[in-house]
Amino acid sequence: MNLLIRGGRVVDPSQSLDAKRDVRIENGLIAQISEHLEPDDWGFGETGVVDAENAIVAPGFIDMHVHLREPGQTHKETIATGTAAAVAGGFTSVACMPNTKPPLDTPALITEVLRLAGEAALARVYPIAAITKDRAGRELAPFWRLHDAGAVAFSDDGSTVADARVLRQAALYARDVPGVFIEHCEDPALKGDAVMNEGDASLRFGASAAPGLAEDVIVARDLLICGETGKPFHLAHLSTATSVDLVRFARSRGTACTCEVTPHHLLLDDHRFTDFRADAKVNPPLRGQRDCEALRAAVRDGTIDVLATDHAPHTREEKAGLLADAPPGFSGLEVALGAYALALPDLPLERFVALLSANPARILGIPGGTLRVGSLGDVTVFAEERWTADVSRFQSLGKNTPFDGWTFPRRPIATVVAGNLLMYRGRLAARTPV
Ligand code: DOR
């Protein structure tokens, strides 16, 4: 199947391209970008045509922080439903976190994730393996074997590697293994049993709370370990003003670190807690307004490298449990593009696209993130159209989002993976092998 994406504004920061162009995909790869292409120019095979008039055509979006829950928690999400949510949300690739049951700490489990992703045949899936065995923070995972099996990065996400000695040793052992360390930064001692951020909201509310310091001390520690060991670190879901300041400071000293921010930390503050429900419970917690503003400023000034969702699906029953017991997290893939645009209305499109394509591709060392001729035929088409999120239409099994009913200014129109049109205007195509 060949595909022609016609009439769109092509925004591809990897080749400083921002112009009205047609894009032709052949045999799964970008074949030609030109001012005007006709399906008949082709000469052979069947050609599908995607109308991208009044829309923006970008390299396929990559979400480098999702929880697909398989193996072991298929009541929350499966690789099939999670990747359906990805293509519905405009993502052509996702990198999935290893806090599954069991955690992704053996080559066989990485192989199994890749097999299930191949069967689902929707978004591409890049597994992230654990840093420590069983994510227990003690023994190191077999980095080379995990890499050889297909792991693109390492993380104990969901928890912090609490023991600095273990993390430093891991970074030294894994220094030559391809794959960034993705750090979840929350000090378990300072975090305690907190369900929310410590601030005026928690004082009024009376729930157990943790200070932003719980994140800041680990960010500082990890940046120092990154600088000392030379292992590249990527800091996940930053949520405080001090964290981004620390990243700026570390970079000024030449530390090779990158970082990401989520839609909810950009848009929502801890005043979302109005009752004892777990709808607003997430790790790290929603912070104060000043932190949200600092994160948005950090995206604008280039401190933040990546927009990532931390898609964390849970069942309705789980989220309806007691605030103290209910799991943290939001189902993010299907609202993310709209939420980013709402949070960052003035962000130039070129930067918006880079934060979702070229940057995560570079950090993970995976193909994609570009529309250069010969690269993957993965494309995201989106438009400046207002729409209202409706959780009942989610492909994800996780219906837990604080954004249900919100109206957003931007939406995905089409998701193309290897030249296959997998989503067009909200409808998913029948599955075709990637
Ligand atoms: O809120 C969160 N949920 N934060 C994490 O780091 C983990 C995630 C999950 O796996 O549910």
Side-chain angles (χ1 to χ4, degrees):
M1 170 81 169
N2 302 317
L3 199 71
L4 182 55
I5 302 170
R6 282 177 108 179
R9 171 178 167 192
V10 176
V11 176
D12 180 6
S14 77
Q15 43 185 332
S16 304
L17 177 61
D18 182 351
K20 202 165 178 196
R21 292 281 187 273
D22 293 349
V23 178
R24 180 162 76 88
I25 305 174
E26 193 181 301
N27 297 325
L29 303 176
I30 304 292
Q32 195 177 2
I33 300 189
S34 193
E35 274 177 38
H36 186 74
L37 293 167
E38 289 289 334
D40 297 344
D41 291 350
W42 233 305
F44 67 93
E46 194 193 333
T47 302
V49 178
V50 176
D51 175 11
E53 203 65 48
N54 301 318
I56 295 125
V57 177
F61 286 168
I62 299 164
D63 186 350
M64 68 178 285
H65 192 146
V66 307
H67 297 270
L68 293 179
R69 307 297 190 209
E70 202 168 356
Q73 294 181 308
T74 51
H75 56 293
K76 293 178 191 267
E77 192 80 291
T78 67
I79 288 176
T81 58
T83 52
V87 297
F91 292 96
T92 58
S93 294
V94 294
C96 62
M97 285 295 174
N99 63 338
T100 48
K101 289 205 168 141
L104 305 183
D105 62 1
T106 66
L109 285 162
I110 299 292
T111 307
E112 178 63 0
V113 165
L114 290 170
R115 187 188 69 76
L116 290 165
E119 245 174 40
L122 288 161
R124 296 177 201 269
V125 173
Y126 294 98
I128 299 166
I131 293 177
T132 63
K133 284 187 189 161
D134 211 24
R135 293 178 51 253
R138 286 188 291 273
E139 282 177 76
L140 307 192
F143 301 122
W144 272 114
R145 288 170 53 228
L146 290 162
H147 161 74
D148 290 345
V152 298
F154 301 94
S155 180
D156 276 4
D157 183 60
S159 358
T160 299
V161 181
D163 186 325
R165 185 163 184 267
V166 171
L167 183 64
R168 178 172 180 267
Q169 238 162 21
L172 289 170
Y173 271 87
R175 187 166 48 191
D176 300 328
V177 185
V180 65
F181 271 16
I182 303 177
E183 285 295 287
H184 176 119
C185 301
E186 281 189 299
D187 181 88
L190 281 168
K191 170 96 178 169
D193 62 356
V195 296
M196 66 183 291
N197 181 50
E198 185 180 290
D200 61 332
S202 74
L203 279 177
R204 224 173 311 132
F205 196 56
S208 69
L213 184 72
E215 174 169 311
D216 304 337
V217 293
I218 297 295
V219 167
R221 180 201 74 167
D222 286 6
L223 290 168
L224 289 168
I225 294 176
C226 170
E228 195 239 7
T229 60
K231 178 73 182 163
F233 275 40
H234 175 83
L235 307 181
H237 44 49
L238 291 186
S239 70
T240 70
T242 304
S243 286
V244 288
D245 272 345
L246 288 165
V247 168
R248 292 183 187 109
F249 174 69
R251 282 194 181 139
S252 75
R253 293 168 42 127
T255 302
C257 60
T258 53
C259 59
E260 69 186 33
V261 71
T262 68
H264 44 276
H265 290 118
L266 288 170
L267 277 173
L268 306 174
D269 63 41
D270 50 4
H271 289 89
R272 291 287 303 182
F273 280 88
T274 50
D275 56 28
F276 278 89
R277 285 193 242 210
D279 298 5
K281 183 175 174 183
V282 66
N283 283 345
L286 303 178
R287 304 287 184 189
Q289 210 163 34
R290 199 179 69 82
D291 293 298
C292 293
E293 277 159 22
L295 294 174
R296 294 195 291 262
V299 176
R300 287 194 294 269
D301 74 13
T303 306
I304 302 281
D305 303 279
V306 168
L307 299 174
T309 62
D310 191 10
H311 176 77
H314 298 289
T315 65
R316 281 189 203 279
E317 294 71 27
E318 288 166 330
K319 279 303 257 190
L322 290 177
L323 181 54
D325 305 333
F330 308 140
S331 183
L333 284 162
E334 289 164 90
V335 289
L337 292 202
Y340 295 136
L342 185 66
L344 304 159
D346 306 325
L347 192 70
L349 268 185
E350 193 200 336
R351 290 257 314 126
F352 179 82
V353 170
L355 287 157
L356 285 156
S357 59
N359 292 5
R362 187 190 71 242
I363 292 163
L364 293 176
I366 60 175
T370 175
L371 295 175
R372 277 181 202 286
V373 170
S375 56
L376 296 181
D378 293 7
V379 179
T380 297
V381 183
F382 62 95
E384 310 294 25
E385 285 178 16
R386 283 170 70 78
W387 64 289
T388 300
D390 174 1
V391 76
S392 70
R393 298 175 62 113
F394 271 18
Q395 298 288 331
S396 172
L397 296 182
K399 312 296 180 194
N400 48 308
T401 172
F403 294 117
D404 190 28
W406 281 47
T407 296
F408 297 119
R410 182 175 293 164
R411 74 187 315 177
I413 299 293
T415 310
V416 174
V417 178
N420 296 296
L421 180 61
L422 296 184
M423 186 279 284
Y424 187 70
R425 289 212 166 267
R427 278 196 318 218
L428 263 59
R431 289 172 197 170
T432 34
V434 176

